[in-house]
Amino acid sequence: MTEANETKEQLQMPTTYDPKEAERKWYDYWIKNEFFKAGTRPDAETYTIVIPPPNVTGMLHIGHALDFTLQDILIRTKRMQGYDALWLPGSDHAGIATQTRVEQKLREQGQSRYDLGREKFLERVWEWKELYANTIREQWAKMGFSLDYSRERFTLDEGLSQAVREVFVSLYEKGLIYRGNYIINWDPAARTALSDIEVEYKEVQGALYHLEYKTTDGTGSIVVATTRPETMLGDTAVAVHPKDERYQHLIGKMLLLPIVNREIPVIADEYVEKEFGSGAVKITPAHDPNDFEVGKRHDLPQILVMDETGTMNANAGPYQGLDRFECRKQIVADLKEQGVLIKIEEHVHQVGHSERSGAVIEPYLSTQWFVKMQPLAEKAINTQKSGNGVNFVPDRFEKTYLNWIENVRDWCISRQLWWGHRIPAWYCADCAQITVTREDATACSHCQSTNLNRDNDVLDTWFSSALWPFSTLGWPNETEDLKRFYPTNVLVTGYDIIYFWVSRMIFTGLEFTQQIPFKDVLMHGLVRDSEGRKMSKSLGNGVDPLEVIEKYGADAMRYMISTSSTPGQDLRFRWERVEQARNFANKIWNASRFALMNLEGVNAADIDLTGQLGTADRWILHRLNETVRDVTRLIDSYEFGETGRLLYNFIWDDLCDWYIEFSKLSLYGADAAAKSKTQSVLAYVLDHTQRLIHPFMPFISEEIWQHLPHVGETITLASWPVENKAFESPDAVREMELLMDVIRSVRNIRSEVNVPMSKKVELLVKPASSETLSILRSNEEYLKRFCNTSLLQIDAEMAAPEKAMTAIITGAELYLPLAGLIDIAQELTRLDKELQSLHGEVERIEKKLGNEGFVAKAPAKVIEEEKAKLADYADKRDKVIARLAELKG
């Protein structure tokens, strides 16, 4: 906007704020003019955030709204502070989650992916991806996120796919990726492997089945207990502790496995806990991770008794073809009939479920690809412990991170899916060797045969996500963006994915860029419902951020959700708090509208804060200064909740309820010079207030700012407010606090005796010092206006009138002669209550100062402050006692 048409625009400011119209208008304006594009300030310091990429599985939820709003607050603040700020958007292909959704759609049409074939199925998934990637962009826009869309990435982009392949091949060449048989978490519904952290453990009411295995020579038996009797068909040993005297005579003997009548040995292994259960455990190497390790130590056979769908296979003998849970029922009945089922006990235990499909996972022996984690973890641990690692906010999450990475197991990275980064490995049909290469293989690297078959599996989604901070900036190519914007400044994410994602980004960043990928990790909590419950489809308590925006506007949603947030803590979503935020926005609008009606003809060049300013003018500039300092510090500390409280108090209380009311005296007065100064202060403070609130409420702040006298195209690029030492005015603060005390006290007295503000009253003020006298007399006009007096008398020597309401404030006594409006008894009762309250405050502080522990530990400044409070309360108490004596006399 140019200065020439500022006045016209100001006069057109609507009576009420329309969020829908403003949100559409300003977001289109911002995008069209590329205000969010990074790289436009080549000489500035950079500030980078890469968005945690949402999955292209559906709509964004309220948790995304929190996560992204916090990032937008940071990036908008830094952009206004002059940084070359990049907020890089993108989305994740989310392998198993997306494939599951598309397969579900196919099932509704009576088809499966196998009916379509790999190529056609992937076409369907890409169609799904485009649909939901567009939906996500629309949601970002509605929430007002200042993303640099010119740099948007997707985890299956060509560039990111190149990075994934480079990392895979590089780790393989270093011996850190290998292929082998191992017990993994298997999802029988999705038919794919899962990593440990993709398994959710739920408490389930189950049973503990006690089974008797007899020796083949008839000399004895061993009782074992299991929660999964169907897996006994794959038992290849029973283990006891080598020092368990109960079983010494049985070690080395053979047992007869019931049902299938296979002979299995009794072995000794320290894995067994003598004190737990019978002290004997069945060993099923193909269906239990601990048994797998025991089996390796004792060279035991590995017998799979299920297929990849959870159906019993040929090794299950008579149960072949049964679902695993049907098999359990049948085998329990058969064991009971054979007399080897000793007893069944109720047993509550933790059962692993697939995070994606919800199916009960099956520990399953399978040939998979793994990352050897120990060397990578050691580098990350050493970096963190050396003090050069990531700064976790709150810092308690550093312990969580270290605890996981210090105990990390090898990472199963292969998934039996079609959607994802296909593993770059080829198997030679002639020499049976594996070729792993950066380019698609055309010949075996071992025997040069062209008879090759590519691995059908894809990589775990988190493999590509682990590279996100640097792959999105062009790595492995040495791009200008990578050199300029990496490492990033902060990662904002939920505490629930420290293991999934944060840890993996750190160790891959260190391995491939030799730098930590971000300086800070800000952990926020989950958004829960008003009762503190986790939001879920089953409870029907989820909140759609677009529904919130439709009802209350984007700014209200953003302000509520961000300022309800404390680092690392869950927050509760409450509709009434969104309504309060909407009311706050309306308060800002109405105050600005009043101001603009009194700024007609004022241009940005007219603003002059030099020369003689009134008490209220100096006070509001001082308070603005304090707010600028504290808000800047709190945003840098990620304390968004406290930031919101400060902004709310400054705007609602100081600016709207006090300063704007005080400004009316000058604005409506005859003193042209005073009016001009107040106009300058009002315009300046409103401008800087909009800048401070802008990261939280971008739309309404832009709308108001564009109506105010200003220079520049948009508030998004306006400079961030900074402290101005010239505005410091502790004298004005003392003066205003005295005036506000007087006004509040008079209003309280009016309220007590039901005297309306429209009725004029006599006010007598007895100042306790010459300084107070001077302040009150120089600001009489404020007192007359806001106390609505018919008579104002300020006199240090006055005698208290006999019949009057009384208020004792710091530095003065106030009397309101109210003959005919109040009786003496009522005033005595009120003063008695005030006296009791003051007695309580005096006793409380005296007790605190009499506490040797407090005095010994508290800073000298705190003790002095407490002593000052005590003197103040005691002085007020003495005056109330004196007034009571007068009235009673």
Side-chain angles (χ1 to χ4, degrees), residues 488-502:
T488 67
N489 291 78
V490 61
L491 172 75
V492 181
T493 189
Y495 60 65
D496 53 333
I497 56 172
I498 293 179
Y499 309 146
F500 284 96
W501 192 42
V502 178

Side-chain angles (χ1 to χ4, degrees), residues 496-645:
D496 53 333
I497 56 172
I498 293 179
Y499 309 146
F500 284 96
W501 192 42
V502 178
S503 304
R504 288 169 173 167
M505 283 190 287
I506 294 172
F507 69 69
T508 54
L510 287 169
E511 179 68 18
F512 291 99
T513 71
Q514 289 71 55
Q515 298 181 84
I516 53 174
F518 24 73
K519 298 179 180 71
D520 294 345
V521 177
L522 171 61
M523 295 290 183
H524 60 74
L526 305 178
V527 182
R528 298 183 177 274
D529 70 9
S530 60
E531 297 176 31
R533 300 174 300 175
K534 190 172 182 179
M535 292 184 180
S536 67
K537 288 183 180 177
S538 60
L539 289 174
N541 62 346
V543 175
D544 179 357
L546 297 192
E547 181 188 352
V548 184
I549 291 170
E550 180 66 25
K551 291 178 75 171
Y552 293 106
D555 288 329
M557 186 206 69
R558 288 171 57 112
Y559 186 82
M560 175 270 170
I561 202 167
S562 60
T563 61
S564 299
S565 168
T566 300
Q569 300 297 318
D570 292 346
L571 66 95
R572 296 188 181 192
F573 182 92
R574 291 187 171 93
W575 283 101
E576 59 269 26
R577 291 208 61 188
V578 189
E579 189 172 350
Q580 290 167 7
R582 190 271 314 274
N583 294 343
F584 180 41
N586 288 341
K587 182 84 168 181
I588 298 170
W589 180 263
N590 292 333
S592 302
R593 189 167 170 274
F594 161 79
L596 285 163
M597 287 191 294
N598 290 280
L599 293 176
E600 185 177 345
V602 177
N603 293 317
D606 300 327
I607 295 174
D608 178 12
L609 303 178
T610 61
Q612 188 68 34
L613 296 174
T615 298
D617 297 329
R618 290 182 291 118
W619 170 74
I620 197 64
L621 289 171
H622 180 97
R623 284 292 297 120
L624 174 66
N625 227 25
E626 290 181 322
T627 304
V628 166
R629 180 188 66 234
D630 293 339
V631 164
T632 306
R633 172 181 56 81
L634 289 166
I635 289 177
D636 285 343
S637 303
Y638 310 117
E639 293 286 353
F640 302 108
E642 186 64 12
T643 305
R645 187 188 66 80

Side-chain angles (χ1 to χ4, degrees), residues 67-126:
D67 191 68
F68 300 159
T69 299
L70 297 182
Q71 293 169 64
D72 198 30
I73 290 169
L74 292 170
I75 212 76
R76 284 181 181 273
T77 302
K78 294 301 176 181
R79 191 182 290 120
M80 294 173 76
Q81 287 175 340
Y83 287 81
D84 191 4
L86 167 62
W87 188 16
L88 190 148
S91 52
D92 196 311
H93 68 281
I96 188 171
T98 304
Q99 179 162 320
T100 299
R101 295 290 295 274
V102 177
E103 286 193 272
Q104 183 180 345
K105 287 288 182 186
L106 285 174
R107 280 196 298 274
E108 292 170 4
Q109 300 163 11
Q111 291 182 299
S112 75
R113 59 172 157 145
Y114 302 103
D115 296 328
L116 296 180
R118 188 167 192 143
E119 188 175 333
K120 290 290 185 183
F121 175 75
L122 289 178
E123 287 178 10
R124 292 284 188 94
V125 188
W126 275 106

Side-chain angles (χ1 to χ4, degrees), residues 804-805 822-835 880 883-889:
M805 295 291 288
I822 185 173
D823 59 31
I824 298 296
Q826 185 177 357
E827 176 63 353
L828 288 171
T829 300
R830 190 189 69 80
L831 285 172
D832 274 330
K833 286 182 181 178
E834 187 172 349
L835 181 61
V880 170
R883 184 62 181 149
L884 277 166
E886 288 174 10
L887 286 176
K888 288 175 181 177

Side-chain angles (χ1 to χ4, degrees), residues 166-182:
E166 175 61 35
V167 167
F168 185 95
V169 176
S170 177
L171 290 175
Y172 181 81
E173 290 170 348
K174 294 175 183 178
L176 295 178
I177 281 184
Y178 64 93
R179 188 170 184 259
N181 283 332
Y182 206 81

